[in-house]
Amino acid sequence: MKSSVIVQFRSYINVVWGTKVQNQEAFAYMKGFPATFFLTERRAIVVGEFLEKKGWLRKKIHHKIIFEAGLQHLKEYQINIFPEKKIFTGFISFHPHNQMGEGAIIQFLKMRPEIGDVIKKHLSKLNIKHPIEDTGIVMVDSQAPLLQTWLNERLGIKTKYSLTLPKKKRKKFLFF
């Protein structure tokens, strides 16, 4: 079944699902991890692939995550937009369902104000007549299939998912 994507944006996100999946209950870091957030009429989806730094002279760990929550299980949400303080954050929390336990949450560490407004507008007038029962999906690391393939199958549409954030200005080094 086709789903229409209301919001799709790439940012730094933290995710907590509250139950043990691959011996982890969350991907929560001080600065978050790079991921793409999708909001459809009935679901909130986070997909991401990143490297976790473990310290000096230690190998980085490659992580992959697919997190899908049903909006019919929405507990609360808050979008904080304070342009004068340059704060654009928010969160969406969910009641337990399927693989998600108590305290399941998506935390946005950086977002553009117009995206926050669209999310807030959609969640405030949420009216789900035909909820999707097979939500509450969490797949981590080796469990997670190719992200692009899973998104295309799950949403029923071709979405463009990129693994990298926009390029920042690179410092140029001169070697003599």
Side-chain angles (χ1 to χ4, degrees), residues 68-123:
E68 179 187 309
L71 292 180
Q72 73 268 22
H73 300 286
L74 179 71
K75 188 176 189 178
E76 68 177 306
Y77 66 93
Q78 183 176 0
I79 306 295
N80 303 314
I81 299 173
F82 303 113
E84 63 279 355
K85 294 182 181 179
K86 296 183 181 175
I87 297 174
F88 307 106
T89 63
F91 72 88
I92 303 172
S93 64
F94 302 94
H95 293 288
H97 62 290
N98 203 358
Q99 291 177 298
M100 294 187 191
E102 192 62 42
I105 190 168
I106 301 170
Q107 179 188 23
F108 307 105
L109 299 177
K110 295 179 182 176
M111 72 169 47
R112 292 196 327 257
E114 56 272 11
I115 290 174
D117 289 338
V118 172
I119 292 171
K120 189 187 291 187
K121 183 178 176 183
H122 178 69
L123 295 179

Side-chain angles (χ1 to χ4, degrees), residues 5 12 16 36 44-45 49 58 77 87 116 128 137 162 172:
V5 176
Y12 288 94
V16 177
T36 303
I45 300 171
E49 194 166 358
R58 293 178 65 188
Y77 66 93
I87 297 174
I128 300 174
I137 298 169
S162 66
K172 295 181 182 178

